[in-house]
């Protein structure tokens, strides 16, 4: 093979030598033209593509040390340099999220992003929104739900907008106790009033967002009620006892709610069993035609759990790491670096290449388990019962589906290969069953895209 490339290289020199130039291999060129016989037919030189491929291959063979493994210091530096250039290009984009979707690449020939961003699906409205808009949209959706079911909407507020889960748990259990007392002792008037300045109410309940709207929705109203008290006033001779009347704010249950005690019980159960409203990560499922660009990823900033300053710091750290790559490190040092690397990403973009070359793409949380990816692939198959394996870089099988993407090194992006179970496929072929052109569902193939 090496001799073949050397011959092509010599041929390139022969072809490109100009008038008056000394050829690189004069021994291969006749000094005199033949005097007799027909003129020899000019040799057909290799095409431009063959020249470029041969030159590149020969250069790789000449530069690559035979004895060095792929993980040599020089290889690490090259990889780090590539990643630094990609990150620097991402960090220099100063326009907003909306502009990123619409703006053309800054430089001619710049690669388009593999995905425009990270998106979420609101469970209330069904709308798909950008990552930076999801909290605002969920809040608006809950506010709109008050016109449909004010009790459910207020419970959503309590569980969704209060981030301290322990405070929410304590507050919800205290409110449930209030409602339980009313339900179990409807004849006791004292349970139908809640003093707003009560220490327990102030410390456990009043601090929670959405709490007051919940009390109003379940049938309480605010009232100012007198609180009788006594005081002593001393005069010149005998003291005079005075009765002093003060007022305080209360939540008082409306009388009509005493006929709807079962409703109060249901509200209590809803309050205790509800969960926060969370927008669901949109997988952004895409199917691409076979492409040599499958392993190339251009990710937007949404995939990185870093600010602009942190990205610059990471670039510096990576440069330093390249210089120290050949140094011996302790196991604790390696584990610490791995943990830092794992925390850097919130999401990952994964592509699965099928035996026919078609590519399935989806977005996942970096801390989701690989089992989610297996389910994602099965749902895209015509026959979801067909057993398969997913192979990572280097042909490594992803056998432990309980591991997270970041634990398998599949962040912030990865190209995997799907391999069918050989025994099952042999049985299918032996049975003479006609197989479809592609194992993917027709509705997915109907919107197949070209990977740019």
């Amino acid at each position: 093979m090496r001799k073949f490339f050397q011959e092509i290289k010599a041929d390139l020199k022969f072809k490109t030598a100009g008038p008056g130039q000394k050829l690189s291999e004069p021994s291969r060129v006749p000094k005199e033209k033949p005097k007799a016989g027909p003129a020899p037919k000019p040799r057909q030189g290799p095409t431009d593509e063959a020249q470029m491929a041969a030159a590149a291959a020969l250069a790789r063979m000449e530069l690559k040390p035979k004895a060095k493994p792929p993980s040599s210091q020089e290889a690490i530096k090259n990889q780090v340099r590539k990643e630094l250039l990609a990150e620097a290009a991402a960090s220099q984009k100063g326009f907003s999220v909306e502009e990123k979707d619409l703006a053309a690449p800054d430089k001619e020939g710049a690669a388009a992003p593999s995905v425009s961003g990270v998106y979420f699906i609101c469970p209330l409205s069904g709308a798909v929104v950008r990552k930076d808009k999801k909290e605002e949209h969920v809040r608006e959706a809950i506010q709109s739900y008050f016109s449909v079911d004010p009790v459910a909407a207020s419970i959503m507020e309590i569980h969704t907008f209060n981030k301290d889960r322990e405070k929410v748990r304590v507050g919800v259990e205290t409110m449930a106790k209030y409602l339980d007392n009313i339900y179990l002792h409807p004849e006791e008037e004292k349970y139908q009033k809640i003093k707003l300045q009560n220490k327990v109410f102030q410390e456990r309940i009043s601090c929670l967002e959405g709490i007051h709207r919940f009390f109003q929705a379940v049938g309480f109203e605010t009232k100012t009620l007198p609180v009788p008290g006594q005081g002593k006033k001393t005069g010149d001779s005998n003291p005079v006892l005075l009765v002093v009347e003060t007022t305080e704010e209360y939540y008082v249950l409306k009388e009509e709610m005493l006929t709807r005690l079962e409703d109060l019980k249901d509200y209590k159960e809803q309050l205790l069993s509800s969960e926060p409203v969370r927008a669901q990560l949109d997988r952004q499922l895409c199917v691409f035609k076979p492409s040599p660009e499958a392993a190339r990823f251009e990710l937007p900033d949404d995939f990185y759990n870093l600010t602009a300053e942190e990205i610059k710091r990471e670039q510096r750290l990576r440069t330093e790491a390249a210089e120290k790559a050949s140094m011996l490190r302790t196991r604790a040092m390696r584990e610490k670096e791995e943990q830092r690397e794992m925390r850097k990403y919130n999401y990952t973009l994964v592509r699965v290449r099928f035996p026919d070359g078609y590519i399935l793409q989806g977005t996942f949380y970096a801390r989701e388990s690989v089992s989610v990816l297996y389910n994602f692939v099965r749902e895209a198959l015509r026959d979801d019962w067909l057993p398969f394996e997913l192979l990572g870089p280097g042909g490594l099988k992803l056998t432990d589906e309980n591991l997270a993407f970041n634990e398998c090194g599949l962040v912030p992006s990865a190209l995997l290969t799907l391999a069918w179970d050989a025994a099952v496929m042999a049985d299918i072929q032996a049975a003479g069953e006609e197989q479809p052109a592609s194992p993917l569902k027709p509705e997915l193939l109907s919107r197949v895209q070209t990977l740019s």
Side-chain angles (χ1 to χ4, degrees), residues 114 286-291 351 357-361 440 447-452:
S114 302
C286 295
V287 176
F288 297 105
K289 296 177 181 177
S291 170
R351 289 173 181 162
Y358 276 79
I359 302 162
L360 181 68
Q361 175 178 289
L440 293 168
R447 47 192 178 95
V448 67
Q449 306 176 43
T450 300
L451 193 59
S452 58

Side-chain angles (χ1 to χ4, degrees), residues 29 86 103 301 348 389 450:
V29 182
D301 294 343
T348 184
E389 291 179 323
T450 300

Side-chain angles (χ1 to χ4, degrees), residues 329-361:
R329 295 174 298 168
T330 65
R331 180 178 178 181
M333 292 172 63
R334 291 195 302 270
E335 290 178 351
K336 184 177 180 180
E337 290 179 7
E338 290 171 359
Q339 290 296 324
R340 180 173 61 84
E341 193 74 13
M342 287 167 57
R343 288 193 299 267
K344 200 164 53 180
Y345 308 105
N346 279 340
Y347 312 95
T348 184
L349 187 67
V350 178
R351 289 173 181 162
V352 177
R353 181 161 49 196
F354 285 74
D356 60 2
Y358 276 79
I359 302 162
L360 181 68
Q361 175 178 289

